[in-house]
Amino acid sequence: MKLAELGEFGLIDRIKANVAASPSVLLGIGDDAAALSPTPGQVTLITSDMLLEGVHFDLSFCDPRTLGRKSLSVNLSDVAAMGARPRHFLLGVALPKDIPLEFMDGFMAGMLEQAQRYGATLVGGDTCASKGGLAISVTALGEQRPDLVLKRSGAKPGDLVCVTGTVGDAAAGLKQLFAGVREGFLVARQLDPTPRVEAGVALAEAGVVTAMIDVSDGVLQDLGHICEMSGVGARLELARLPLSEHYLAYCGHTDHAPPALWERGGGEGAATGKLYPGNDPFALALSGGEDYELLFCIPAGKESEVAAICASVNLPVSVIGKITTGAGIELTAPDGSSYTPPRRGFDHFGAD
Ligand code: ADP
Ligand code: MG
């Protein structure tokens, strides 16, 4: 069957048929608006992200199921970065008329499997035809106790700067995709990111984090947002940047391996590494977006607690620097010299 035969309302019915009921959804897909019942004592966090064909994704790079997962993941990542639990979401789609029905089926299967994994229910949306490419807009709603919500603005001088997982992978994956590579760890990090929902919620509920953001536009750009909104500066030690072995191999290096904090048992751990000849592995790791890791600040002395929290959700975490009283971000290369990045991070309206 073609999308044209199914029609707008047939497609909405098809989507609705695959959405599981949830006790918090009094009215879901099908009426003029959804009716949700809030969890007592919690506030709602709402966030929206758009994904446009040709800007955010290329249909020749990814299958529909993976695109469906990613479209939700990037929104869940924003909910997680506030320390909130995802609960509900809305899906707006503008579909080229010739898009195969199997594409939509795959896309919805991916989106709904990710929704189920993280406890979010699809409650509505909007569907229209596109005269250009495919456009996807997801609005996600999460909940948390108001006193536990994590903002970008609470970092204090002396705080430690932490990041989960590894950085630079998704940007390297995108470069590989442009070079014709279609699989592997880095490509998967680009096409199918994992929102750090469990970690975000656990960190918020432990009450140890002073400021948090997710890494969507690159470590420098996103730490810059924390610094601006907190009225502080930061100093990062590049030797401590968590870089995956796949990323290092892509950059042509194998000798930068700062152990993750939780593998060091929360201790200081000697920062090892050299300033590399040839390809600079730090440039992309600092400016490359879409890793969807959590970047956050904690008071000094809370390292072991944070290491234990992240270990409990099976996620490495690294201390990569300190918050300072200054403004702006200083970078220290592994040899102790000052480092200037070639590029800061992603800006839709900035120069490439
Ligand atoms: P209205 O014209 O009143 O805005 P629509 O006909 O656009 O209503 O939508 C009918 C119902 O289907 C609404 O409940 C809406 O939230 C839901 N809906 C529309 N498009 C989608 C979609 N892509 N995914 C999920 N629900 C959708
Ligand atoms: Mg509508």
Side-chain angles (χ1 to χ4, degrees):
M1 200 191 330
K2 291 228 160 61
L3 194 54
E5 292 166 45
L6 193 61
E8 177 188 341
F9 300 103
L11 179 64
I12 295 172
D13 285 343
R14 201 175 173 95
I15 292 173
K16 185 181 173 178
N18 291 305
V19 175
S22 157
S24 61
V25 181
L26 307 180
L27 270 178
I29 296 172
D31 219 306
D32 290 313
L36 310 175
S37 94
T39 305
Q42 306 219 341
V43 289
T44 299
L45 292 298
I46 308 184
T47 179
S48 191
D49 253 316
M50 221 154 49
L51 288 91
L52 302 179
E53 184 178 351
V55 178
H56 299 95
F57 61 88
D58 183 322
L59 291 176
S60 64
F61 289 175
C62 59
D63 62 277
R65 196 173 188 122
T66 311
L67 182 63
R69 274 203 302 270
K70 178 169 178 175
S71 302
L72 184 59
S73 297
V74 300
N75 282 275
L76 298 183
S77 177
D78 280 322
V79 172
M82 302 300 291
R85 262 191 196 80
R87 303 278 285 149
H88 309 107
F89 68 104
L90 295 141
L91 167 65
V93 283
L95 304 171
K97 284 199 167 148
D98 58 355
I99 203 160
L101 188 54
E102 301 80 66
F103 181 95
M104 274 317 287
D105 285 344
F107 177 84
M108 287 312 304
M111 180 163 275
L112 293 176
E113 84 189 347
Q114 198 71 334
Q116 192 187 16
R117 185 169 300 144
Y118 294 101
T121 304
L122 179 60
V123 297
D126 202 15
T127 304
C128 52
S130 167
K131 291 195 171 160
L134 171 63
I136 301 155
S137 169
V138 174
T139 300
L141 294 86
E143 286 185 324
Q144 185 50 283
R145 255 173 49 191
D147 55 313
L148 297 179
V149 170
L150 297 174
K151 296 179 286 190
R152 297 176 175 183
S153 58
K156 301 267 177 330
D159 281 358
L160 303 176
V161 180
C162 304
V163 69
T164 60
T166 52
V167 291
D169 299 328
L174 185 60
K175 284 184 183 278
Q176 285 191 327
L177 282 163
F178 281 123
V181 180
R182 289 291 176 271
E183 56 187 23
F185 177 86
L186 299 174
V187 164
R189 288 272 288 162
Q190 162 61 220
L191 297 180
D192 197 5
T194 304
R196 303 305 190 186
V197 172
E198 296 91 344
V201 170
L203 287 164
E205 293 183 347
V208 283
V209 172
T210 55
M212 186 148 81
I213 193 167
D214 64 326
V215 183
S216 53
D217 296 328
V219 167
L220 279 189
Q221 190 88 278
D222 291 318
L223 181 59
H225 294 316
I226 287 188
C227 288
E228 275 159 37
M229 295 196 63
S230 301
V232 295
R235 188 165 48 243
L236 296 187
E237 279 179 58
L238 301 192
R240 291 179 168 271
L241 271 186
L243 306 178
S244 70
E245 56 180 299
H246 303 274
Y247 175 82
L248 286 165
Y250 170 81
C251 294
H253 297 289
T254 49
D255 54 348
H256 173 94
L261 179 61
W262 67 286
E263 287 163 356
R264 296 201 294 268
E268 269 293 286
T272 54
K274 305 183 202 76
L275 187 56
Y276 304 101
N279 271 347
D280 170 4
F282 301 122
L284 202 55
L286 290 167
S287 68
E290 299 200 278
D291 285 312
Y292 297 104
E293 295 296 343
L294 294 173
L295 181 69
F296 58 98
C297 302
I298 57 169
K302 295 284 184 188
E303 302 93 301
S304 359
E305 195 179 333
V306 162
I309 292 165
C310 291
S312 75
V313 295
N314 218 17
L315 188 61
V317 59
S318 308
V319 173
I320 60 172
K322 267 204 170 92
I323 295 295
T324 61
T325 50
I329 302 169
E330 283 172 54
L331 302 167
T332 307
D335 66 357
S337 65
S338 154
Y339 175 91
T340 307
R343 182 172 180 267
R344 189 179 153 91
F346 188 71
D347 177 333
H348 271 279
F349 299 106
D352 277 332

